[in-house]
């Protein structure tokens, strides 16, 4: 039985005062959950997360990483630097990185390997746009995105987390039904199975399409939805904890 995992993605939000309140609220309620919990904060606040969350049931992580190990790459953050702050998770290939920064699946695969090499867990994001869904290309798109990663990580597939984020359902008012989400999760599980049947049973596949307190329970009741990558709802402790407790 795969343990549920709920990860908050703060995106480019927060300040020291607001973060302190949010982190304290999450820590206060996280003990009551049987699920694994983490927050992925902007890089400047990783020290704050480490200080506030050390010794608590809440892990922390980063939202992106460089594929390079170090050197003349101004503005980039190497995986070893994130490991230096005891990050457990690193998000790679988020739809916003793919769309706004032109990240290819090949680059995402290299970032995944960089995270693994540094001893952390990559959360590999895949997902289709509305145009791609309406063109019937969902399976082809997500399979290609995940396939690039699987080709590069080899036998380390058991060490990754996958997050399915239908781009068309994020902040648009459109929603994927639990059945629609499960259909894609099942396809991703089958792809993992073809790569490594043993690993496929243990790899957590999160749903990242605007999971909220009012839909979390039904979504996570689906057999192949192992938790959530939470955006907006992760910025309010009460909402994030409600999703976390729905994962029990």
């Amino acid at each position: 039985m795969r343990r549920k995992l709920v990860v908050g993605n703060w995106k480019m939000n927060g300040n020291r005062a607001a973060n302190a309140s949010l982190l304290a609220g999450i820590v206060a309620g996280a003990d009551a959950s049987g699920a694994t919990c983490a927050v992925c904060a902007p890089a400047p606040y990783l020290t704050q997360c480490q200080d506030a969350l050390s010794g608590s049931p809440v892990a922390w992580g980063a939202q992106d990483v460089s594929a390079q190990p170090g050197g003349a790459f101004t503005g980039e953050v190497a995986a070893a630097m994130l490991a230096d702050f005891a990050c457990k998770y690193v998000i790679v290939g988020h739809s916003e990185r793919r769309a706004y920064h032109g990240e290819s699946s090949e680059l995402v695969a290299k970032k995944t390997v960089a995270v693994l090499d540094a001893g952390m867990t990559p959360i590999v994001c895949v997902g289709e746009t509305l145009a791609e869904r309406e063109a019937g290309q969902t399976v082809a798109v997500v399979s290609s995105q995940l396939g690039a990663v699987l080709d590069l990580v080899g036998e380390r597939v058991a060490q990754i987390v996958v997050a399915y984020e239908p781009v068309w359902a994020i902040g648009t008012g459109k929603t994927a039904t639990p059945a629609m989400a499960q259909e894609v999760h099942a396809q991703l599980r089958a792809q993992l199975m073809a790569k490594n049947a043993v690993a496929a049973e243990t790899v957590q596949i999160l749903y990242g399409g605007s999971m909220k307190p009012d839909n979390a329970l039904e979504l996570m009741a689906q057999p192949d939805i192992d938790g959530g990558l939470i955006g907006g709802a992760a910025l309010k402790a009460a909402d994030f904890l409600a999703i976390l407790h729905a994962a029990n």
Side-chain angles (χ1 to χ4, degrees):
M1 193 71 178
R2 293 177 299 273
R3 189 177 186 186
K4 291 289 195 289
L5 170 63
V6 176
V7 179
N9 175 17
W10 291 2
K11 304 192 179 184
M12 197 170 70
N13 293 292
N15 56 61
R16 288 190 65 87
N19 297 347
S21 177
L22 176 57
L23 291 168
I26 292 173
V27 169
D31 273 330
S33 174
T36 302
C37 171
V39 296
C40 288
Y45 299 125
L46 290 176
T47 295
Q48 186 180 20
C49 288
Q50 184 178 20
D51 291 344
L53 300 176
S54 292
S56 82
V58 184
W60 58 95
Q63 299 172 9
D64 187 33
V65 68
S66 174
Q68 304 296 330
F73 300 97
T74 301
E76 294 290 282
V77 178
M81 296 174 181
L82 300 178
D84 209 18
F85 288 93
C87 288
K88 180 173 176 59
Y89 298 99
V90 182
I91 298 171
V92 294
H94 191 279
S95 61
E96 291 157 4
R97 298 295 309 178
R98 293 178 189 265
Y100 305 149
H101 300 271
E103 292 195 1
S104 66
S105 294
E106 290 70 28
L107 177 59
V108 173
K110 290 177 182 177
K111 289 186 174 189
T112 302
V113 170
V115 174
L116 290 172
D117 287 347
M120 298 175 293
T121 300
I123 300 175
V124 181
C125 297
V126 301
E128 82 283 19
T129 64
L130 180 60
E132 289 165 340
R133 170 164 278 271
E134 291 181 339
Q137 297 174 341
T138 295
V139 171
V141 169
V142 299
S143 296
S144 175
Q145 291 171 341
L146 181 58
V149 171
L150 297 183
D151 287 345
L152 209 57
V153 301
E155 293 306 309
R156 293 193 286 179
V157 60
Q159 300 172 38
I160 73 171
V161 170
V162 178
Y164 168 56
E165 44 167 5
V167 181
W168 52 272
I170 301 173
T172 62
K174 298 179 181 291
T175 57
T177 65
M180 291 164 68
Q182 164 59 24
E183 183 179 12
V184 180
H185 278 241
Q187 170 62 36
L188 293 169
R189 183 83 61 201
Q191 188 175 0
L192 289 166
M193 191 75 68
K195 179 70 175 180
N196 186 318
V198 175
E201 295 293 344
T202 61
V203 171
Q204 294 156 312
I205 306 178
L206 313 182
Y207 179 67
S210 294
M211 185 179 284
K212 296 178 173 62
D214 60 358
N215 65 11
L217 187 63
E218 190 174 5
L219 281 165
M220 287 191 280
Q222 303 301 310
D224 289 299
I225 298 181
D226 304 315
L229 180 60
I230 315 302
L235 300 175
K236 297 179 180 179
D239 288 352
F240 187 68
L241 288 172
I243 295 171
L244 180 61
H245 296 152
N248 286 341

